[in-house]
Amino acid sequence: MKLEHKATIAAPIGQVWAFLMDVPAVAKCAPGVESVEPLGDDKYRGTIKVSVGPIRLAFQGDVSIVERDEVAHTASMRADAADKRAGGAVKAVLTMSLSEVSTDPPVTELRMETDAQIMGRVGEFGQPIIRKKADQMVGEFGQNLSKAIAAGIAK
Amino acid sequence: MSMLTEDAARIFEAPEYRIEGPLKVSGRARYTADVKVPDALIAKFLLSPLPHAHIVSIDTSAAKAVPGVKAVLTGADIGLKLFGRVLYDWPVLAVDQVRFAGERVAAVAAETREAADDAIKLIQVEYEDLPSVFDAEEALRDGAPLLHPDPSGYFYGMGKRGDRPNLNLQGYELVKKGEEDIERVFASAHRVFEDEYSGPRQHQGYIEPHACVLWIDGDDVVHVYSVAKAPFGLRTQLSRVTGHPSPKIVVDSMFIGGDFGGKGNVIDEFPCYYLARATGRPIRSINTYAEELAAGAPRHAVKFYLRTGVDRDGRIIAHQSRAYFNGGAYGAAKPMPNCLVPAGVGPLEVYNVPNTRIETFVSYTNTVPCGHMRAPGSIYAGHAGEGHIDHIARELGMDPVEFRLLNCVRDGDRGPANEGFHKPKAVEVLEAVKRETSWGRPLLPNHGRGVVLRHRHVGTGKSEIVLRLLKGGKIEALYATPDQGSGSATVVRRVAAAVLSVDPERIEVRYGDTGEARLDGGSGASRVTHVVGQATIAGATSLKEQLQDLAAEVMGWPAGKVRLEGDRFVVADGSGEGGDFADVAGRIAAGGEVEAIGAYDSNTLSHDEADFNFYAYMIEVEVDPDTGRVEILDAVQVVDVGTIINPVAHQGQLDGSFVFGFGNAMMEELVEQDGLITTLSLGEYKLPTQMDIPPLRTVLVQDPVGCGPFGAKAAGEITNSGVAAAVANAITDAVGVRMKTLPLTAERVFASLQEQKGGVI
Amino acid sequence: MRTFDYHAVGSAAEALDLLAQYGEDAHLMAGGTSLMLMMEQGLIQPGHVVGLRSANELRGIGASSGGIEIRALTTHREVERSSHVRDYCPTLVEAFERIATIRIRNQATIGGNLVHADPAQDPPPILLALDAEVVIQSKIGERTVPLDGFFRDYFETVVEEGELLASVRLPAIVAGTKSTYVKFLPRTEDDYATLSVGAALRLGADGSCEHVRVALGSAAPTPIRARKVEAALQGQRLTGPMIDEAAELVRDEVDPLDDVRGSAKYKREMARVWTGRALRSLLDGGGK
Amino acid sequence: MPAHRRLVDLLREGLGLTGTKEGCSVGVCGACAVLVDGDMVSACLMPAIFVDGTSVETIEGLSPPEGPLTPLQECFIRHGGFQCGICTPGQIMAATALLRDNPHPTELEVKRWMMGNLCRCTGYYKIVESILAAASGEGAPS
């Protein structure tokens, strides 16, 4: 399943990039993230809660930065997580790339391409709903990111 | 034997009362999932969530600690055990590597389903992703991930494996006919037409999920209740995989709750054997329907590339095709030599084409292993070939029926793969279309008619049946063909009675497991009436001779003069002497049972002129141009049949075949996303319901010239593969768009109409 | 499926007590058709299931201030076969006849259906078109919520923890109002709709549109009202082409899922087609 | 029986009444159709606890093991209303409920009622024929 999102952030590209490299801060922008612990080597462990109506899933897993190109301003993160209770797993690669829209005022565009696979019993249940939910969540994540970066700058 | 005796005519023409009927309508017919064995454990399997990965480690300790869990096995415990129908390339449990999402990684046996489920969730597997390939053509490109880099250790059950130009091929075949340089013929053609067609994976949709009950008794005999439609085949496979001697394996597959090809491939029996070994307890495994849809052995997805040249008169002079079948991760589920899908040569199978070059590729990909489904591959070959033919006819300005009449095979012609036909009926069924349907009459707007001409081989194989005169004068017929609904028991009864010339009620047909009955090739390929029927004729003929001799002996009648006819023994010496069957048979049986074995092997038939059922469809549709929805208003199937033995069941098979083809044509698609099947219930993978089926009329073109008993042919999977093409051709006739991808969903028709209008939605 | 404690209750009050006692760990069960599937798949694993089947006060169909009240535990089949419902609005009967199969309709309930909040279900569009309200009960009392506003998201409604849906109320239908329910099923007749439309229309003496409702199923994460379409028609003297033009607006109001019943793109077009067809049939004197 | 068991588990595993079949397990196929207080339901979707205090009819209850079949069952045999037989108990329970509710249904009424019982073998034509034959009085013991 492939998802694409864009967010526009009123901040210079360098600042946005710096923020993106702070994984715990970035992770907090994802809806439902409960905890993020660094494991070293650009690897982190965390929990994210997802609910669709009465269905409540808690995915636990690892996120790592698998690629980062400071010059091109692209980075990709990989997440592997599983929900033990219902028996489901998610494997996702999130590629983020920044481009400068303007320097005065500073505006940066963030593009996020997500390639995710939902597996196991959770995957048996309504892939279309999962896709919609994932789409919603990544969209919200993008919005939260812009807000968080804007807030950081305002400080 | 093609002429009907008086007995046969009388017996076959009466509507039958199916022998297994009372069991089936009362819920007493015993299917595998109904078998209860004391102390049985429940088996469950951990399936790979990934399409292609290296297994780094498996930790089963937490799973083993679950109360009620008696065994947790992985590939490391049982070793690399490969199974298959012809090519043994599928591991019972994965070792080091998984090649499709749904592959079995571990097996659990537990006291309850809950304990088994809990244990499955607690098995920790660490995987390392490997690059995957999902598409049949991409798998053959340079640099594609190789699924089986070293197939040299794989057992292959049919002699030497054919050459394969690429290691990612399960099977490959090139068929040529006529001119070696076919390009020269194409260059000389008046016109050349090219088309591409495709179809998705489809599921057999039997209502009974795979199940098995297996235990090993104190004498080390393995008892298996199975849904396998070829129990002797399963016995051989189990023996080869496990090393357990085949005489000490007994397989019972009496009733099968729907097959359609899907019960040819069984996979539960292998891990259940190891679970039974590990626990010393009987093992019961019943798949969920989600497991069936995710990891059964569905019909292959396919892409056809067709190219055909015609001369100025519209005669086909050259045909070239390439078919790419997506075989999935293993070739094990296919019973054909070289793991081929038999319909690869099928698109123009009913036409007299002098020059051909036909290639069939079956690829390994990281998707669910594919197997056979009713008339395997043929629905796609039919859709492609008959759409292509329709396209050519219309481009040439010829009536599609006339174009087919011009090019179809007649007596003495040979098909595209150089195959011969025994009394082909292509012309007869086409003439019936003209005569018996509304073909050619005026149409309302958005209405259209499509026609299709196809054939189906009657099926081959071997079988043996035991006929026995029992004490009390009944005749028992014992055979091992599982009952998947064709009515074979009643065929055996009627054929035996017709040969013996006794009241059919005297014949008691009994199913026997592999320990009791004699060798049988299993039900499938629509072969049963032909093969089992001929075995019955052989057995009944032999029994009849013995009974006539014995009657003379016990009654003191002149030897060589006694005839069994009209349910009586009569002395053919003009004396008028004789006696009722029951009396005389009773006296014969008092001296001991009399037994005859009927054996038949279709290999003894001439292969030069093979037997086919030809058939045609005429289907009228109405297309709703605003939504793309297609409604079938009239469907007529014209079928070339031989002698009909069970008239009710025969029509039932043709009815069922049409509706099966209707589902395949209109709605069925196993959706795959990144190697995972996502249509995981019968709520998502829809089968036709009562309310969806169109009106159907059947026209029989009958000639008792088949190779089955008394000139019978096949019935089971003849007409299903023509529906898609007939509907697609009718859509073209109605609204001008040609539908080249199955199923023919409203959305696809709508999108084609939008494209035709030049609009973009 | 995980095992659970089953509590059969005889009244709504008992059920609410249990919900208060067990909180998130309790789940109400009416007909059970959807809940059983979700529990079987392990998606919901409540420790306590509160079975409403014997809460007879939550069952039945009656008159309510000129309209009709259908209590939550009434099965779809009871709705479909009720002469009360037929007298009130035959379209409602027709819509309920389209739900899945008789077996499901014998078991599933209207309350369960609405609370399950699956946007592909049949009752919501027609109930929205008829301006239904739902009565939600809790230990502190009752609140009445218009069905339009009841659905929040996929499988999510405004029913909060500790509350239960007690009944559905439908107002009196003003004379001259016609309604219809169309369900587009391009695959099989027992399928979920690819797209469905519930619509109601009343024309004034001068032929102008006095009242119009258009609601869609399978068109967004929740059942929705097509307000732009309604607004475009309200007060207008309707013609077929005008309806087609208004139906175009529905494209911007829907947000369908891509699934086996159709891509989002296709469903968007079908929303237009079926909205137009439903309204045209009402304009042409169809509907009930 | 634990609370989470389904009616189909109670019948097949608990009581050994295996005439009721389990197919899709999601209420679609109808193989597990049984009558609860006369109404047909999917035994795979119904918690077993729901049937406490009700009357449940299964295929086993229609005709005793050695006794005569019902006219409907007879008609299914004579008219080819079954092939593999796995859906047949569900078909017959559904049709039994239909003929009690509506002894003389039209063809369309039969099809509407029977829509929820999938059959992959027969193509349905002969199921309809069997039910209409029973409705017309065929299959009754003479």
Side-chain angles (χ1 to χ4, degrees):
Chain A
M1 148 170 104
K2 292 184 174 56
L3 306 167
E4 282 183 31
H5 289 270
K6 270 187 213 171
T8 314
I9 302 160
I13 193 161
Q15 243 168 339
V16 177
W17 176 258
F19 185 89
L20 285 183
M21 289 304 104
D22 179 357
V23 172
V26 169
K28 277 181 198 132
C29 295
V33 164
E34 299 245 308
S35 65
V36 184
E37 309 293 335
L39 300 175
D41 275 351
D42 274 350
K43 230 179 163 175
Y44 301 83
R45 178 153 293 166
T47 306
I48 182 165
K49 286 200 166 169
V50 181
S51 65
V52 182
I55 303 166
R56 295 197 172 86
L57 305 167
F59 287 96
Q60 288 181 313
D62 296 345
V63 180
S64 54
I65 299 182
V66 288
E67 220 182 294
R68 94 172 83 203
D69 181 340
E70 190 141 11
V71 180
H73 290 116
T74 59
S76 60
M77 289 203 239
R78 189 194 156 108
D80 287 275
D83 172 278
K84 286 285 161 214
R85 221 167 58 114
V90 180
K91 215 176 60 158
V93 176
L94 173 66
T95 305
M96 299 189 281
S97 57
L98 298 179
S99 58
E100 205 159 52
V101 179
S102 74
T103 45
D104 190 21
V107 177
T108 304
E109 186 185 78
L110 165 67
R111 288 174 57 92
M112 289 181 291
E113 285 173 26
T114 314
D115 189 354
Q117 271 172 273
I118 314 289
M119 297 161 298
R121 293 184 87 172
V122 171
E124 287 176 19
F125 158 85
Q127 287 275 353
I129 300 172
I130 294 170
R131 165 187 280 271
K132 197 97 186 167
K133 188 78 196 173
D135 196 49
Q136 260 177 23
M137 286 174 65
V138 180
E140 210 178 307
F141 172 59
Q143 286 168 10
N144 292 348
L145 262 181
S146 353
K147 278 187 218 156
I149 295 170
I153 289 161
K155 258 192 266 171
Chain B
M1 206 186 300
S2 69
M3 291 298 290
L4 245 57
T5 60
E6 232 174 84
D7 283 319
R10 183 177 32 80
I11 292 168
F12 298 164
E13 275 159 24
E16 73 272 15
Y17 192 88
R18 293 266 288 270
I19 295 171
E20 70 283 10
L23 289 178
K24 287 188 176 176
V25 301
S26 65
R28 283 181 283 126
R30 192 221 60 222
Y31 298 83
T32 303
D34 303 336
V35 174
K36 279 281 188 67
V37 181
D39 296 324
L41 297 170
I42 305 290
K44 281 280 162 195
F45 305 101
L46 175 67
L47 310 184
S48 163
L50 299 171
H52 201 188
H54 173 59
I55 299 174
V56 179
S57 66
I58 307 181
D59 180 356
T60 59
S61 51
K64 282 178 176 155
V66 173
V69 169
K70 298 296 169 191
V72 181
L73 298 179
T74 68
D77 298 311
I78 68 167
L80 181 63
K81 301 287 180 189
L82 299 168
F83 69 94
R85 293 175 76 178
V86 174
L87 180 69
Y88 286 52
D89 65 350
W90 189 342
V92 172
L93 295 173
V95 174
D96 295 337
Q97 193 178 352
V98 287
R99 296 183 180 85
F100 76 98
E103 180 158 354
R104 288 173 175 182
V105 174
V108 170
E111 300 282 1
T112 62
R113 197 166 67 194
E114 290 78 7
D117 282 340
D118 286 348
I120 290 290
K121 278 192 213 162
L122 290 170
I123 299 171
Q124 301 279 345
V125 187
E126 194 187 331
Y127 297 100
E128 197 177 274
D129 267 329
L130 292 170
S132 301
V133 61
F134 306 128
D135 179 80
E137 288 173 83
E138 274 170 28
L140 305 180
R141 296 203 178 116
D142 286 343
L146 268 188
L147 275 81
H148 300 263
D150 179 17
S152 59
Y154 296 161
F155 173 78
Y156 176 68
M158 287 193 179
K160 192 186 168 301
R161 243 183 125 182
D163 288 336
R164 293 166 302 137
N166 183 313
L167 270 181
N168 265 352
L169 281 174
Q170 297 172 6
Y172 172 77
E173 185 179 48
L174 170 62
V175 171
K176 290 192 276 192
K177 179 184 166 188
E179 180 72 47
E180 181 64 30
D181 181 6
I182 199 160
E183 289 306 325
R184 208 185 54 79
V185 189
F186 275 114
S188 75
H190 169 56
R191 287 187 69 178
V192 176
F193 298 88
E194 292 190 41
D195 278 312
E196 293 176 23
Y197 278 81
S198 63
R201 285 178 195 79
Q202 294 186 323
H203 195 266
Q204 295 86 358
Y206 39 73
I207 304 296
E208 175 202 40
H210 280 73
C212 113
V213 180
L214 183 150
W215 76 97
I216 305 169
D217 72 14
D219 298 323
D220 213 29
V221 174
V222 180
H223 299 265
V224 191
Y225 282 98
S226 172
V227 299
K229 67 176 183 176
F232 280 90
L234 174 60
R235 187 178 74 163
T236 305
Q237 292 163 32
L238 256 180
S239 174
R240 177 163 295 279
V241 171
T242 63
H244 200 93
S246 143
K248 297 191 86 171
I249 300 172
V250 179
V251 182
D252 183 331
S253 311
M254 184 169 180
F255 288 116
I256 295 175
D259 163 21
F260 318 110
K263 304 290 171 63
N265 181 59
V266 294
I267 70 176
D268 308 314
E269 287 73 359
F270 305 99
C272 285
Y273 171 87
Y274 292 101
L275 288 172
R277 270 271 170 260
T279 59
R281 301 265 297 268
I283 305 293
R284 194 160 168 240
S285 166
I286 303 172
N287 277 359
T288 64
Y289 218 95
E291 287 163 344
E292 292 292 322
L293 291 164
R299 190 196 286 292
H300 295 63
V302 69
K303 178 99 188 252
F304 273 101
Y305 294 88
L306 306 176
R307 184 174 172 225
T308 299
V310 296
D311 68 13
R312 273 179 197 289
D313 302 324
R315 279 183 201 281
I316 299 169
I317 56 171
H319 171 65
Q320 182 181 19
S321 88
R322 279 175 295 133
Y324 293 90
F325 289 93
N326 191 331
Y330 300 105
K334 280 181 279 288
M336 303 300 288
N338 204 16
C339 293
L340 286 166
V341 179
V345 297
L348 262 56
E349 64 189 14
V350 291
Y351 299 103
N352 180 19
V353 187
N355 304 291
T356 61
R357 186 184 168 90
I358 301 169
E359 269 182 298
T360 309
F361 302 82
V362 185
S363 300
Y364 277 121
T365 63
N366 296 108
T367 61
V368 57
C370 290
H372 275 185
M373 173 160 154
R374 201 170 197 167
S378 198
I379 174 174
Y380 299 146
H383 174 229
E386 285 298 282
H388 186 56
I389 287 288
D390 203 69
H391 172 200
I392 298 171
R394 283 173 192 275
E395 286 282 321
L396 295 175
M398 290 179 73
D399 176 276
V401 172
E402 297 304 330
F403 181 75
R404 285 171 173 84
L405 274 168
L406 178 68
N407 284 291
C408 68
V409 292
R410 290 169 160 76
D411 252 334
D413 289 343
R414 303 190 76 81
N418 213 22
E419 67 278 31
F421 301 94
H422 178 58
K423 299 198 189 307
K425 303 286 183 191
V427 172
E428 287 84 344
V429 298
L430 285 172
E431 292 294 347
V433 166
K434 287 176 23 183
R435 196 175 59 239
E436 309 266 351
T437 75
S438 58
W439 182 255
R441 302 222 191 111
L443 284 161
L444 295 168
N446 298 322
H447 286 234
R449 294 195 189 95
V451 70
V452 150
L453 174 68
R454 299 280 294 160
H455 72 46
R456 182 80 192 155
H457 192 274
V458 298
T460 57
K462 47 179 146 182
S463 187
E464 293 178 14
I465 189 164
V466 181
L467 284 130
R468 243 181 230 140
L469 177 71
L470 303 179
K471 290 199 165 60
K474 287 271 189 188
I475 293 165
E476 178 184 79
L478 174 72
Y479 75 138
T481 303
D483 179 349
Q484 26 68 298
S486 67
S488 64
T490 309
V491 168
V492 168
R493 164 179 280 176
R494 291 178 153 225
V495 169
V499 172
L500 287 161
S501 191
V502 298
D503 180 348
E505 293 300 313
R506 299 197 189 284
I507 317 288
E508 290 197 336
V509 185
R510 192 158 70 78
Y511 169 84
D513 60 31
T514 63
E516 185 186 19
R518 296 181 67 94
L519 180 78
D520 176 76
S523 45
S526 306
R527 70 166 71 90
V528 172
T529 296
H530 165 204
V531 173
V532 176
Q534 287 292 14
T536 304
I537 289 193
T541 305
S542 159
L543 184 69
K544 185 171 187 168
E545 284 163 10
Q546 290 185 58
L547 293 180
Q548 287 170 164
D549 291 349
L550 288 165
E553 212 176 294
V554 299
M555 302 300 290
W557 291 330
K561 296 278 184 201
V562 179
R563 300 278 176 273
L564 174 52
E565 54 191 46
D567 212 32
R568 284 176 58 80
F569 286 94
V570 294
V571 183
D573 61 357
S575 66
E577 255 194 294
D580 282 348
F581 179 84
D583 298 342
V584 179
R587 290 177 69 168
I588 296 171
E593 288 180 354
V594 183
E595 183 176 291
I597 292 165
Y600 178 72
D601 181 350
S602 64
N603 280 328
T604 57
L605 275 175
S606 153
H607 276 282
D608 200 44
E609 278 206 343
D611 286 81
F612 291 84
N613 295 77
F614 281 73
Y615 69 92
Y617 269 105
M618 197 300 295
I619 286 179
E620 182 177 333
V621 302
E622 180 179 4
V623 179
D624 177 347
D626 295 337
T627 65
R629 191 173 191 279
V630 177
E631 191 179 349
I632 298 179
L633 303 174
D634 184 23
V636 183
Q637 54 177 349
V638 179
V639 196
D640 141 36
V641 299
T643 297
I644 295 168
I645 294 166
N646 291 345
V648 177
H650 186 270
Q651 184 60 46
Q653 289 290 326
L654 296 179
D655 290 353
S657 199
F658 167 70
V659 172
F660 199 94
F662 167 75
N664 296 168
M666 307 309 290
M667 64 193 75
E668 294 175 33
E669 175 166 10
L670 275 177
V671 177
E672 174 245 301
Q673 210 178 347
D674 302 330
L676 276 71
I677 303 291
T678 60
T679 41
L680 291 172
S681 81
L682 289 186
E684 300 295 293
Y685 186 88
K686 293 304 291 179
L687 305 175
T689 75
Q690 278 274 9
M691 287 299 288
D692 301 304
I693 54 168
L696 169 71
R697 192 155 61 86
T698 303
V699 175
L700 300 180
V701 172
Q702 195 168 10
D703 191 2
V705 296
C707 56
F710 299 94
K713 288 189 174 180
E717 50 185 350
I718 307 171
T719 59
N720 60 304
S721 31
V723 184
V727 175
N729 292 344
I731 293 170
T732 307
D733 192 40
V735 290
V737 295
R738 190 162 289 286
M739 304 304 300
K740 298 186 180 183
T741 302
L742 292 182
L744 306 166
T745 60
E747 178 165 2
R748 286 207 171 99
V749 176
F750 179 78
S752 298
L753 285 165
Q754 295 296 109
E755 204 179 305
Q756 182 193 42
K757 274 195 251 169
V760 178
I761 63 163
Chain C
M1 201 189 308
R2 291 244 135 254
T3 198
F4 48 82
D5 289 335
Y6 182 76
H7 309 266
V9 296
S11 67
E14 268 180 71
L16 292 169
D17 283 345
L18 287 161
L19 290 183
Q21 190 180 339
Y22 296 112
E24 263 211 346
D25 200 26
H27 208 290
L28 292 172
M29 185 185 274
T33 47
S34 298
L35 189 59
M36 284 293 283
L37 286 180
M38 288 165 109
M39 291 199 301
E40 186 71 28
Q41 288 174 319
L43 296 168
I44 305 180
Q45 300 174 3
H48 300 269
V49 170
V50 179
L52 296 169
R53 277 171 77 84
S54 311
N56 285 328
E57 65 189 27
L58 290 175
R59 191 181 295 277
I61 298 166
S64 152
S65 51
I68 191 169
E69 176 168 15
I70 306 172
R71 305 285 289 162
L73 275 189
T74 310
T75 64
H76 296 331
R77 188 74 171 151
E78 285 162 355
V79 175
E80 166 194 353
R81 296 200 143 189
S82 154
S83 57
H84 253 82
V85 175
R86 188 174 290 278
D87 292 345
Y88 168 74
C89 177
T91 307
L92 204 48
V93 170
E94 285 170 11
F96 275 73
E97 280 173 348
R98 305 303 300 276
I99 303 169
T101 61
I102 297 177
R103 277 197 322 280
I104 302 296
R105 301 204 292 275
N106 276 332
Q107 196 182 333
T109 65
I110 189 169
N113 179 286
L114 295 178
V115 171
H116 181 51
D118 178 339
Q121 291 286 352
D122 298 288
I126 188 62
L127 292 173
L128 282 169
L130 296 174
D131 290 331
E133 295 177 332
V134 294
V135 180
I136 297 168
Q137 204 174 322
S138 69
K139 284 178 83 85
I140 52 167
E142 266 187 17
R143 59 189 180 115
T144 301
V145 178
L147 191 61
D148 183 20
F150 175 77
F151 301 108
R152 261 195 193 142
D153 198 351
Y154 239 108
F155 297 160
E156 246 180 84
T157 69
V158 300
V159 177
E160 301 290 342
E161 207 178 302
E163 291 186 320
L164 63 77
L165 189 153
S167 77
V168 179
R169 284 191 191 139
L170 289 145
I173 294 177
V174 176
T177 309
K178 298 271 190 172
S179 60
T180 186
Y181 178 69
V182 291
K183 183 178 187 184
F184 180 44
L185 288 170
R187 299 202 301 177
T188 63
E189 286 291 307
D190 69 336
D191 203 359
Y192 287 108
T194 287
L195 197 285
S196 65
V197 180
L201 181 70
R202 188 176 65 250
L203 300 179
D206 61 350
S208 66
C209 173
E210 271 185 10
H211 171 86
V212 60
R213 289 286 180 274
V214 179
L216 295 95
S218 300
T222 67
I224 55 162
R225 278 263 302 273
R227 292 186 182 280
K228 287 182 187 164
V229 178
E230 292 173 3
L233 299 173
Q234 185 71 39
Q236 305 289 317
R237 280 171 156 279
L238 298 188
T239 63
M242 184 186 287
I243 282 174
D244 292 343
E245 206 175 299
E248 300 268 344
L249 299 172
V250 84
R251 281 200 187 110
D252 299 333
E253 304 197 70
V254 301
D255 176 21
L257 285 184
D258 269 311
D259 64 16
V260 286
R261 291 165 191 89
S263 68
K265 203 159 80 171
Y266 180 62
K267 287 180 186 171
R268 187 165 274 127
E269 292 310 307
M270 291 307 102
R272 170 184 60 79
V273 169
W274 290 100
T275 295
R277 286 184 176 183
L279 289 169
R280 267 176 175 264
S281 82
L282 293 176
L283 180 66
D284 295 345
K288 297 203 169 131
Chain D
M1 192 79 352
H4 66 283
R5 285 290 155 88
R6 305 163 304 162
L7 178 55
V8 70
D9 301 322
L10 171 69
L11 295 171
R12 289 182 54 82
E13 306 295 327
L15 303 172
L17 296 171
T18 56
T20 301
K21 305 302 178 191
E22 182 166 4
C24 71
S25 311
V26 293
V28 171
C29 78
C32 67
V34 297
L35 311 186
V36 174
D37 284 340
D39 288 335
M40 59 172 175
V41 298
S42 294
C44 71
L45 289 187
M46 182 163 273
I49 32 185
F50 275 18
V51 302
D52 192 21
T54 67
S55 99
V56 179
E57 280 177 88
T58 69
I59 189 78
E60 286 88 352
L62 290 188
S63 53
E66 299 306 322
L69 297 169
T70 65
L72 180 70
Q73 289 172 315
E74 279 291 340
C75 286
F76 263 72
I77 301 178
R78 292 182 196 173
H79 292 269
F82 70 89
Q83 285 178 24
C84 85
I86 198 81
C87 74
T88 310
Q91 301 279 359
I92 287 180
M93 293 315 292
T96 300
L98 163 66
L99 295 180
R100 282 181 196 162
D101 186 81
N102 179 1
H104 299 289
T106 64
E107 185 177 331
L108 183 62
E109 285 167 339
V110 171
K111 291 172 83 159
R112 283 211 170 124
W113 186 283
M114 300 298 293
M115 175 175 79
N117 289 80
L118 298 180
C119 173
R120 190 62 157 165
C121 294
T122 62
Y124 302 109
Y125 303 103
K126 288 186 175 294
I127 291 177
V128 178
E129 189 185 312
S130 303
I131 296 167
L132 289 175
S136 75
E138 208 188 299
S142 45

